[in-house]
Amino acid sequence: MKKAMKFGVLMAMGFLASAMLGQSGDAGKNEAAKNDEAKSDKPAATVQDAGAPSDYVIGADDTLRISVWKEPDLSEILPVRPDGKISMPLLNDIPAAGLTPLQLKDSITEKLKKFIADPRVTVVVTAMNSQRVFVSGEVLHSGPIALLPHMTVLQALSQAGFNQFANLKGIYLLRTENGKQEKIPFNYREVIKGNRPEQNIMLKPGDTVVVP
């Protein structure tokens, strides 16, 4: 009889422990669900496009990705027109050229406040077509090249390629600053050997690389 009573007590304690574990698991699931809901109420983290530094100045022919949180009809990819403006629903034409992505974000945010409570805007430059450099002379592909962040002379030449007549020791860069043109030498053979790293400078908009 006593054994039966002990067995019954043990069984009851086992059922009680299982119930407590079940409640603990349910509580954990409920807490996780609450956390997921809280996350869904927050805007997604903004990641600046690696192609454009924060101080990049937007220009004509650039492509922008405009995102307005929880407003899919206002979120789209837009080209900057030759007149330097973009067109958005509700706002019509907005000046974009001459502004940084942050300045344009602030401008759009301020304008949207007339239509949306607490608008949260993200502006990312997805194509920097307004800033170009040029490669001319004995190359396979002469003409303008889109200027990428921190692009060097060597990187521009790798896109242009050389023909059989190229003088790789006599390459030079033409740069105009303050109304004066500067001629900067670039010895390709020495640079690729690592002997003249100072010649492999970063390019600026409007630079021209000449391969004689």
Side-chain angles (χ1 to χ4, degrees), residues 58-176:
I58 298 167
D61 295 330
D62 284 344
T63 303
L64 310 176
R65 183 170 72 243
I66 312 292
S67 302
V68 183
W69 185 50
K70 289 190 174 182
E71 298 292 340
D73 293 338
L74 297 176
S75 301
E76 52 189 338
I77 296 176
L78 299 170
V80 182
R81 303 196 308 255
D83 63 358
K85 297 180 180 180
I86 59 174
S87 296
M88 288 185 63
L90 298 179
L91 305 182
N92 298 319
D93 292 346
I94 305 170
L99 303 177
T100 65
L102 181 59
Q103 290 171 332
L104 180 58
K105 176 190 81 72
D106 292 340
S107 174
I108 294 173
T109 300
E110 192 62 31
K111 290 177 172 61
L112 282 176
K113 287 180 179 179
K114 299 177 182 178
F115 309 96
I116 302 171
D118 190 24
R120 303 185 186 184
V121 180
T122 301
V123 176
V124 176
V125 181
T126 59
M128 299 181 292
N129 299 320
S130 63
Q131 296 195 9
R132 295 183 174 93
V133 295
F134 303 86
V135 181
S136 64
E138 302 298 335
V139 294
L140 299 177
H141 307 286
S142 63
I145 295 177
L147 179 61
L148 302 177
H150 314 299
M151 176 180 276
T152 64
V153 176
L154 187 60
Q155 291 171 336
L157 289 172
S158 69
Q159 291 192 37
F162 301 120
N163 64 28
Q164 59 183 331
F165 305 108
N167 178 3
L168 302 183
K169 294 182 179 181
I171 299 171
Y172 56 92
L173 170 70
L174 294 177
R175 171 174 293 172
T176 302

